[in-house]
Amino acid sequence: MKARTVLALASLAGIALAGAVTTTASADLVTRCIGTGGAVTVPGDLVVPAGKSCVLEGTTVEGKVTVQAGADLVVTDGVFKGVVVVAEDGYLDAYNTTVAGKVTSRGGYGATFAASTLSAGYAGLAPADETIVPFAYFEDSKITKNVQSASGELYVGGSSVAGSVSGTGTAYADVIDSTLTGGLTVTGNVDGSVVCGTEIDGAAAFDGNGTVQVGGGGLIDDCSDVNYFGGNVTIANNNGGVSVIGNIIRGNLGGEGNDPAPVGADNRVRGALSGQFVDLQPPAAARRAAPEDRLVELKGKVAERKAAAVTDGQQAGKAF
């Protein structure tokens, strides 16, 4: 696979405080962030107001972080000690940032994590506005607990997940050059899934998707790296073609209802073969789609929203 990187933010100078309020005498401080901020500690919660942009570098937030509807939060070298919630059409971009609490995207435009650490996992919910196609993009990151996405695009690349990954009703769910200590579940993905160069210690299940590529070949994307599965692999009811090539599977490999029938070769399966996988035929040489296309599109969406957020934040001036 080609190396995948996300550009870090350029250094952002300046620091100011705006809109710090307490709702009651005993309540935590709530800081509104509009503009750019630097290496300070926010002692309570941080809120990016609806439709506004906040760009942070080296900032520590002790409390909850909320990105309201249509707002943007871009952070590099940050430390968030609480949970993070992204509202519908909100955007979160984190580079080299540590998040101690769970990250929840409630139908946000997207969430990007590069060289970052999430200590309590990620959950992406479906937006009420069906025109929004959210994305969750993890690159060279470390995630403790689970990654769960219920809509849009899910990409996990060069990352470790101390838990399971699930894409249910997403457009696609791709896992590349990564390690999962739990399992992988891909269900109802219209554009299917690619798994390449990845170790999955638990079970893997692909059900009711479009195209599914597990391992090598070029059904969706170029892949020459081996996958390792510590549990059973079940592939059933997919309608865009299935290829299973060059995998090591300690459990069973099976499934029915795939149309067209799956193809595969060079797999080492220590358990039992069943269903359509008892006698796999070798794949044809033809590729269904050009490699990298959907990742290029996703990275374009990331870059566009991020650039707009940074520009808006700089124009707004110092936030705190």
Side-chain angles (χ1 to χ4, degrees):
M1 304 296 299
K2 294 182 180 178
R4 296 173 170 87
T5 60
V6 175
L7 295 176
L9 290 173
S11 294
L12 299 171
I15 179 172
L17 182 64
V21 298
T22 52
T23 55
T24 68
S26 62
D28 289 335
L29 192 69
V30 177
T31 301
R32 297 172 70 250
C33 180
I34 303 171
T36 63
V40 296
T41 296
V42 176
D45 296 344
L46 183 141
V47 175
V48 185
K52 302 300 183 179
S53 294
C54 172
V55 181
L56 303 175
E57 183 178 16
T59 305
T60 296
V61 180
E62 299 280 355
K64 177 181 179 180
V65 174
T66 301
V67 182
Q68 293 185 343
D72 301 312
L73 173 58
V74 179
V75 55
T76 187
D77 300 331
V79 176
F80 294 163
K81 296 186 177 181
V83 301
V84 176
V85 177
V86 182
E88 186 146 309
D89 198 34
Y91 174 61
L92 170 65
D93 189 297
Y95 178 81
N96 195 34
T97 291
T98 299
V99 183
K102 187 173 183 178
V103 179
T104 302
S105 177
R106 301 185 183 280
Y109 177 86
T112 299
F113 303 91
S116 294
T117 299
L118 281 67
S119 298
Y122 171 87
L125 309 180
D129 183 353
E130 295 182 356
T131 65
I132 299 174
V133 182
F135 58 81
Y137 181 23
F138 301 87
E139 182 70 30
D140 299 329
S141 292
K142 180 179 179 181
I143 305 100
T144 304
K145 298 189 177 177
N146 300 328
V147 172
Q148 301 169 310
S149 187
S151 66
E153 301 158 297
L154 174 60
Y155 176 85
V156 180
S159 299
S160 63
V161 181
S164 298
V165 172
S166 66
T168 302
T170 44
Y172 62 80
D174 292 352
V175 184
I176 311 294
D177 299 329
S178 296
T179 301
L180 284 56
T181 62
L184 172 65
T185 303
V186 181
T187 305
N189 284 230
V190 63
D191 293 323
S193 177
V194 179
V195 181
C196 176
T198 291
E199 177 182 332
I200 300 174
D201 295 338
F206 305 83
D207 195 305
N209 306 293
T211 304
V212 173
Q213 179 182 330
V214 180
L219 191 59
I220 297 176
D221 203 351
D222 286 334
C223 175
S224 58
D225 297 325
V226 174
N227 292 316
Y228 171 87
F229 295 91
N232 297 332
V233 177
T234 305
I235 305 174
N237 306 310
N238 303 287
N239 61 19
V242 173
S243 67
V244 183
I245 301 172
N247 300 282
I248 299 173
I249 302 173
R250 290 185 61 87
N252 304 323
L253 171 62
E256 292 279 13
N258 299 291
D259 186 13
V263 297
D266 303 323
N267 297 297
R268 294 171 56 189
V269 181
R270 298 188 180 183
L273 297 173
S274 64
Q276 293 176 300
F277 295 86
V278 172
D279 186 19
L280 283 177
Q281 298 300 307
R287 179 183 294 131
R288 184 184 67 87
E292 306 289 342
D293 283 357
R294 64 193 187 191
L295 182 57
V296 168
E297 182 179 352
L298 174 56
K299 291 173 74 172
K301 290 171 62 175
V302 170
E304 182 178 5
R305 183 75 176 238
K306 182 175 181 177
V310 171
T311 298
D312 289 348
Q314 291 173 333
Q315 289 177 346
K318 296 178 180 180
F320 51 81

